[in-house]
Amino acid sequence: LVVEGGTLTELTSNASNTVWTGTFTATDDSTTNAKVKFADAANYTDVTGNDGATDVEAVAVVDTVSPDLAASGIEITAANLNDATNTSVVTITFTEAVTEFNNSDITVTGGTLSTVGSNDGGVTWSGIFTASDDSTANGTITIGTDYQDLVGNVGADGGTDSVVVDTINPTATVTFAEDGLDDDTNESLVTIVFSEAVANFSNADVSVVGGTLGTLTSADQITWTATFTASDDSTEEASVTVIGEYEDNVGNIGATGADDTATVDTTNPTATIVFDQTSLKKETGSDGADESVVTITFSEGVTAFSNEDLVVEGGTLTELTSNASNTVWTGTFTATDDSTTNAKVKFADAANYTD
């Protein structure tokens, strides 16, 4: 015999030598058809010596080639995915058509994969990978060998592909160095710290209330600083709020709404001074005609205020006393005896009191 496409075990026969059998084993990883035929030099006879026929053969189709991933294998089209572009086509290409292949044969990390399908009979399969939100875990698509071709040959090898993922949106914190601002300390450093480096961030991306903010600058694109100056003559609360569409270095849009506040009081206190008597004269007996109550009323409570902050002309002023809120201060003015110099109480040029 001539054996092609495989091997044949030693033949055995029945008792009458009319039926001979052996087992043919196809060559592995081959598509060469199986063939068994008589050799040209075959020399067998029947029991009476007649030569046997030699023009007989048997043929069987062989396919022992295991399906495999093609050179292009598994391909995630995108190189990087972010919050704005978080999907990519995934293409899986085999060396031949495969059957019974579905998502259960695919391991996915870092996101999800839509149901895969094929439009060419099972050679090329595709689906859409969607990266997980708020994640930096790389996306991977992995295939094992649990697939088979149309004749049942099990897959030879698996494969994998991956894509870089960053879908984390940057966040920010805003901090005033000063909790409260006044007329003497009307400036505060404002620091904005992001969770990662950001791009396209500027003063246009912040809302400022109660004053002005200098130009924001940063050495590392993470920490940004500027000086806030409170509005003059104001009690409006200072605030800086992140509002703009800034983004990190891969294009993820930043979260808005981060803010901080500081109290502001840059309003200078004002005052009125009133004599309760419009004219004073010489005292007769103890009638107090030479005296007048002086009332100083401030627009708000003051501290560090005393007689030293006043200039008194035409007489003397007793030590001032105030109400509980330090808004109204009173003393008694006594005119100089035997004088026509008008009584006057005014603030000294060097007066040094504050609210």
Side-chain angles (χ1 to χ4, degrees), residues 5-50:
T7 59
L8 185 64
T9 62
E10 189 71 25
L11 295 171
T12 61
S13 71
N14 61 359
S16 62
N17 289 338
T18 58
V19 178
W20 296 70
T21 59
T23 300
F24 178 91
T25 302
T27 302
D28 191 33
D29 200 28
S30 172
T31 55
T32 299
N33 286 343
K35 181 183 288 188
V36 177
K37 64 179 181 179
F38 286 99
D40 291 340
N43 184 20
Y44 67 96
T45 64
D46 60 16
V47 293
T48 60
N50 297 313

Side-chain angles (χ1 to χ4, degrees), residues 118-130:
S118 176
N119 292 321
D120 61 2
V123 176
T124 305
W125 298 73
S126 61
I128 301 296
F129 175 83
T130 301

Side-chain angles (χ1 to χ4, degrees), residues 130-261:
T130 301
S132 299
D133 191 32
D134 199 29
S135 173
T136 55
N138 286 348
T140 63
I141 301 294
T142 303
I143 296 173
T145 57
D146 292 336
Y147 58 91
Q148 59 186 40
D149 64 15
L150 301 182
V151 298
N153 295 315
V154 176
D157 293 304
T160 189
D161 194 20
S162 63
V163 59
V164 175
V165 171
D166 182 351
T167 55
I168 295 180
N169 303 93
T171 58
T173 58
V174 182
T175 305
F176 274 84
E178 302 291 337
D179 293 329
L181 300 174
D182 55 34
D183 207 41
D184 288 332
T185 305
N186 68 338
E187 291 184 345
S188 175
L189 182 69
V190 173
T191 303
I192 303 174
V193 180
F194 293 96
S195 56
E196 57 183 305
V198 297
N200 302 322
F201 182 70
S202 70
N203 285 58
D205 299 309
V206 296
S207 171
V208 180
V209 176
T212 58
L213 187 66
T215 301
L216 288 161
T217 59
S218 175
D220 60 5
Q221 309 303 305
I222 294 176
T223 302
W224 297 70
T225 58
T227 298
F228 177 91
T229 303
S231 300
D232 192 30
D233 196 27
S234 173
T235 56
E236 183 178 31
E237 184 178 60
S239 69
V240 174
T241 305
V242 177
I243 61 171
E245 279 201 4
Y246 63 95
E247 58 188 39
D248 64 14
N249 291 332
V250 298
N252 296 316
I253 301 300
T256 60
D259 68 345
D260 195 20
T261 61

